[in-house]
Amino acid sequence: MAAAPFLKHWRTTLERVEKFVSPVYFTDCNLRGRLFGDSCPVASLSSFLTPERLSYQEAVQQDFRPAQVGDSFGPTWWTCWFRVELTIPEAWVGQEVHLRWESDGEGLVWRDGEPVQGLTKEGDKTSYVLTDKLGEGDPRSLILYVEVACNGLLGAGKGSMIAAPDPEKMFQVSRAELALFHRDVYKLLLDLELLLGVAKGLGEDNQRSFQALYTANQIVNICDPAEPETFPTAQDLASRFFGQHGGESQHTIHAMGHCHIDTAWLWPFKETVRKCARSWVTAVQLMERNPEFIFVCSQAQQLEWVKNHYPGLYARLQEFACHGQFVPVGGTWVEMFWLPDTFGYSAQLPQIMRSCGIRHFLTQKLSWNLVNSFPHHTFFWEGLDGSRVLAHFPPGDSYGMEGSVEEVLKTVAKNRDKGRTNHSAFLFGFGDGGGGPTQTMVDRLKRLYNTDGLPRVQLSSPGRLFSMLESDSERLCTWVGELFLELHNGTYTTHAQIKKGNRECERILHDVELLSSLALVRSTQFVYPAAQLQGLWRLLLLNQFHDVVTGSCIQLVAEEAMSHYEDIRSHGNTLLSAAAAALCAGEPGPEGLLIVNTLPWKRTEVLALPRPGGAHSLALVTVPSMGYAPAPAPTSLQPPLPQQPVFVVQETDGSVTLDNGIIRVKLDPTGRLTSLVLVASSREAIAEGAVGNQFVLFDDVPLYWDAWDVMDYHLETRKPVLGQAGTLAVGTEGGLRGSAWFLLQISPNSRLSQEVVLDAGCPYVRFHTEVHWHEAHKFLKVEFPARVRSPQATYEVQFGHLQRPTHYNTSWDWARFEVWTHRWIDLSEHGFGLSLLNDCKYGSSVRGSVLSLSLLRAPKAPDATADMGRHEFTYALMPHTGSFQDAGVIQAAYSLNFPLLVLPTPGRAPVSPWSAFTVSSPAVVLETVKKAETQGCTLVLRMYEAHGSHVDCWLHTSLPVQEAVLCDLLERPDPAGHLPLRDSRLKLTFSPFQVQSLLLVLQPTPELRP
């Protein structure tokens, strides 16, 4: 006779079920305690410890010594290889057998010479399925190797995740045994956990919630963990609940396997190679067992690593890619358009994406905003030029879901575009340090496929998701401009040397491409260094990963990044010299000097030229657009003065005035800027009663993310750094160049020296700065109060610029207290403005009328040595009349960042100047000249409109062009893009901030070769 129904107490019923599945409580009698059955130790365990990351073939040849469970090994970043000999008991025939392995290091199982599964305790992968069902004829003995890295899933931080790694940390294997796995227990546990999730997630006010709780309670009543014959009845109860389907209006969740692996972060680059193998081989297992499971991968660099280091695994990935289960996404070398974890997104990305044939964008990082909640999860994102892409932020605000009911319900509840679209992404799998999805995650999501009270869950793909989002697109809103992350503002400044290396190497590779393209035209012997350039660009892009160029990485990664930059500099300069030699081929005579201008406008500048004996002398040189000129003859002992020389005067009070007839600079006796005047108009640029070039120090203690964050409250701790009168001295005394220099003690531990330089004919004053920096949690900036009033300032971004407010009217305004820029910022009112240029900085702000450039930080995690030591950098100040566009600020910032090149030639330098390209409009910048990737004697030109205007312009070239065709960023010709060539000129039409690419097919003359 059935028991009479009882009144149920919500909390006690819920906890009863929780204890029944608990891995901690009552495991002697609950269901969880029956997940594994009989066990036995491995037959033999031996190990080999090495500081190297050896290949499998190398490792198995080493001397393995006997080992035991519990033995310690290490230290951090070493590797311990284990040889695991197994003997499966005869009595286990017909049952599922696992190797249970638990270690605090990341493991990879090798079987028959191939990787087969990752084993990571932090990633819920602590057993390897030896066989689903042991057959009579199956081998009872086998040998596995387990490669264990001496680091955890998220590195080896000492005391906290983001602390600097503990170099002496030791590791151990805490479990190594064979065990029977009870698949029926696993299925019941899964169902009970999901029922608990429904009950908790829907809450006490929901009918379906009580149905879930009562079903779970009834399963506990029926199920006796010691009697497996009770399991089918319990399983039927669960199936009855999950088999009750929802209606047609259910929100649909598109679940995709995902494994975000930071290319370097709290571990070195080489460890990421192994993380990829551990994560992706596990994903291959899941794809084999679950034909409907789809896994997305977003970084080509990581695929290249696996291809080179794990060719067998790469072949499997190719196989599953052909089946549509392994889906590469992103579209770039490191990461770009599938961007779960990058710290903000430029307003030019939509145009770049569309020009590459990419129409969709995904991230979730803006859910980290500290101040404002972004108003959309699905929307159109419109860039600077008006290009639009369909953007989606997974509403669960994570790229590392685990398939729980709580996450599924959150995805629906948090969706900010309810009523506009009924589809959302759900990215599941352990991330950041890798790991990826597990079978349990897949099984949870399959069970929740179509359950009343919950959204519909599909194992899906990016293509299916965005196809459904596009079907609702007429109801979607549009966001215009940048996607600014209101967090991690400190990464614009942290690790200044990495950022300097990035800027310098971008310049070097730009110059190598241009000079090599011109050499290809001028020399029959020159071979364009395509393979070398590809390797160097890939190395630079590797460092542009979001935890490397940002400086939010451990010391070991920072050192590797600096080594990469040194390789790029060294090889890049060699390639520059080779191109210069080819440009001068056929010129007889002694070695000469070639002055090269890699920018698309004529430049007249003061240049220091090398002279015999190692000395340098100043010269005023003029070099045509994207071309060269011979260096002035070294015979003249005294260079002729320009029409308007620089005058330098030091007053009796120690102040110094520099005047080149364009601007007049006055420095007080400590080196601060008391006046900056445009001579022609007598217009003062420095605010009345204020001083510029004022160094200021801030306390810089964020809430947690040390290298990442600078908080708004740091502004409350502003302390001007005051110098001592009498430290200012005249450097270069005038003529072609005038300068003054001074020393400044920043603190007892840090000092600064600076040379303030004004050249003849130059519209800006430069500040060459050297800092010896030894601080803790301090932030150094330099400020320039301007005699300008405007509610917004302008900041350069990729291929353009944008405005940001100079006030804090709204929360969206003051959340931008520290912002990013590239080479310049400008504050202008009608008719006048002041621009601040830089050669390697990215953090800045304009508050009120004060322009501020962020120089150095001193965080202590994850790299305790970040920014410590010597730094060199240059910034410049340029007052101007009219708009910054008409005043040439964009060109000035380019010139500061792309100095004229002085290159030795093997023979006599050409006697006449030569220009390859000129552009008729200053609004259009010819940014890049390179050889086409796949076509023979064809060059690619990349140009953009920089002023924010509609403009027609003429491109003139002295090269023998046969045909000109517009193309996209992938260099695919536009069928309607053929341009007529008239007198070596091409007419081009631009809209504001438009980027255009052009294929120039060169005439097949004897001087040209593929």
Side-chain angles (χ1 to χ4, degrees), residues 534-734:
Q534 183 186 75
L536 296 175
W537 272 118
R538 287 182 173 182
L539 198 57
L540 179 59
L541 293 173
L542 176 63
N543 277 4
Q544 289 185 355
F545 180 76
H546 73 252
D547 277 310
V548 181
V549 73
T550 56
S552 51
C553 53
I554 60 173
Q555 181 181 356
L556 189 57
V557 174
E559 290 171 351
E560 287 182 281
M562 295 306 296
S563 175
H564 294 163
Y565 291 134
E566 191 52 45
D567 286 347
I568 295 169
R569 289 187 187 100
S570 174
H571 290 94
N573 286 326
T574 299
L575 294 176
L576 279 174
S577 297
L583 280 172
C584 301
E587 298 283 348
E591 180 178 298
L593 289 176
L594 194 66
I595 303 177
V596 179
N597 173 17
T598 60
L599 296 178
W601 44 79
K602 184 172 74 171
R603 297 164 67 181
T604 298
E605 296 178 11
V606 176
L607 195 60
L609 296 176
R611 297 305 185 199
H616 286 77
S617 63
L618 297 178
L620 187 65
V621 299
T622 297
V623 191
S625 164
M626 282 197 168
Y628 58 70
T635 53
S636 55
L637 299 176
Q638 187 65 35
L641 289 179
Q643 186 175 0
Q644 178 63 60
V646 181
F647 294 98
V648 181
V649 177
Q650 184 159 30
E651 307 293 346
T652 55
D653 65 355
S655 63
V656 170
T657 299
L658 310 173
D659 189 332
N660 68 355
I662 301 172
I663 58 176
R664 184 167 59 249
V665 180
K666 288 189 177 181
L667 304 170
D668 76 6
T670 67
R672 297 181 303 178
L673 186 61
T674 58
S675 176
L676 178 62
V677 174
L678 268 174
V679 174
S681 63
S682 299
R683 177 65 158 81
E684 175 62 62
I686 300 299
E688 185 176 358
V691 292
N693 203 35
Q694 174 66 67
F695 293 96
V696 286
L697 207 58
F698 299 85
D699 294 340
D700 186 14
V701 184
L703 298 176
Y704 176 72
W705 297 100
D706 200 357
W708 293 259
D709 289 347
V710 56
M711 309 307 296
D712 57 348
Y713 53 73
H714 88 284
L715 297 171
E716 301 173 37
T717 66
R718 178 181 180 275
K719 299 178 185 68
V721 181
L722 302 177
Q724 288 187 333
T727 60
L728 184 67
V730 172
T732 306
E733 296 183 347

Side-chain angles (χ1 to χ4, degrees), residues 936-956:
C937 293
T938 301
L939 300 184
V940 174
L941 275 60
R942 188 157 297 124
M943 312 167 75
Y944 73 97
E945 197 288 320
H947 286 183
S949 62
H950 287 87
V951 64
D952 293 337
C953 77
W954 289 91
L955 171 71
H956 181 274

Side-chain angles (χ1 to χ4, degrees), residues 482 484 791-793 795 797 802-806 816 819-821:
E482 67 180 330
F484 185 86
Q792 60 187 19
Y795 300 78
V797 300
L802 51 75
Q803 285 75 42
R804 299 185 181 110
T806 60
R816 287 171 163 82
V819 297
W820 62 271
T821 189

Side-chain angles (χ1 to χ4, degrees), residues 729-961:
V730 172
T732 306
E733 296 183 347
L736 289 177
R737 174 172 292 169
S739 70
W741 65 275
F742 63 91
L743 302 174
L744 180 65
Q745 195 71 35
I746 299 170
S747 74
N749 300 315
S750 301
R751 67 184 188 276
L752 175 153
S753 63
Q754 187 174 79
E755 185 180 21
V756 184
V757 180
L758 185 63
D759 281 351
C762 187
Y764 54 82
V765 56
R766 304 196 305 277
F767 300 82
H768 297 306
T769 313
E770 179 182 325
V771 182
H772 292 265
W773 181 248
H774 300 281
E775 300 295 326
H777 293 114
K778 298 294 181 183
F779 198 162
L780 181 67
K781 304 183 185 183
V782 64
E783 295 177 347
F784 294 91
R787 191 166 172 255
V788 177
R789 180 172 176 81
S790 176
Q792 60 187 19
T794 306
Y795 300 78
E796 188 193 35
V797 300
Q798 297 92 332
F799 304 119
H801 57 265
L802 51 75
Q803 285 75 42
R804 299 185 181 110
T806 60
H807 54 74
Y808 292 171
N809 280 0
T810 71
S811 60
W812 294 89
D813 298 333
W814 65 257
R816 287 171 163 82
F817 59 86
E818 177 80 5
V819 297
W820 62 271
T821 189
H822 277 228
R823 289 169 289 225
W824 57 268
I825 58 177
D826 179 79
L827 183 66
S828 289
E829 60 188 34
H830 178 69
F832 183 81
L834 185 63
S835 296
L836 180 56
L837 324 177
N838 76 84
D839 73 344
C840 61
K841 300 299 176 185
Y842 293 91
S844 63
S845 65
V846 181
R847 184 182 180 188
S849 295
V850 179
L851 292 84
S852 175
L853 187 66
S854 298
L855 303 177
L856 295 168
R857 295 186 71 221
K860 299 304 171 187
D863 179 3
T865 69
D867 282 319
M868 297 300 98
R870 180 176 174 273
H871 298 265
E872 281 189 74
F873 49 86
T874 297
Y875 52 88
L877 203 61
M878 179 176 171
H880 61 83
T881 57
S883 68
F884 69 85
Q885 293 99 324
D886 293 339
V889 168
I890 296 169
Q891 286 80 2
Y894 263 102
S895 296
L896 181 68
N897 280 269
F898 288 81
L900 294 172
L901 303 178
V902 181
L903 300 175
T905 62
R908 181 176 297 153
V911 296
S912 301
W914 177 77
S915 170
F917 299 101
T918 57
V919 182
S920 65
S921 171
V924 175
V925 176
L926 174 50
E927 167 73 25
T928 299
V929 178
K930 62 183 284 289
K931 185 178 180 292
E933 293 294 317
T934 58
Q935 302 185 46
C937 293
T938 301
L939 300 184
V940 174
L941 275 60
R942 188 157 297 124
M943 312 167 75
Y944 73 97
E945 197 288 320
H947 286 183
S949 62
H950 287 87
V951 64
D952 293 337
C953 77
W954 289 91
L955 171 71
H956 181 274
T957 180
S958 60
L959 306 186
V961 175

Side-chain angles (χ1 to χ4, degrees), residues 72 113 161 194 211 265 284 336 457 459 621 656 811:
S72 293
M161 180 185 77
L194 292 175
Q211 291 174 357
W265 180 29
V284 165
M336 185 59 80
V457 177
L459 294 180
V621 299
V656 170
S811 60

Side-chain angles (χ1 to χ4, degrees), residues 63-80:
D63 181 20
F64 283 76
R65 305 288 179 87
Q68 295 182 352
V69 171
D71 287 352
S72 293
F73 55 89
T76 302
W77 310 132
W78 284 46
T79 301
C80 193

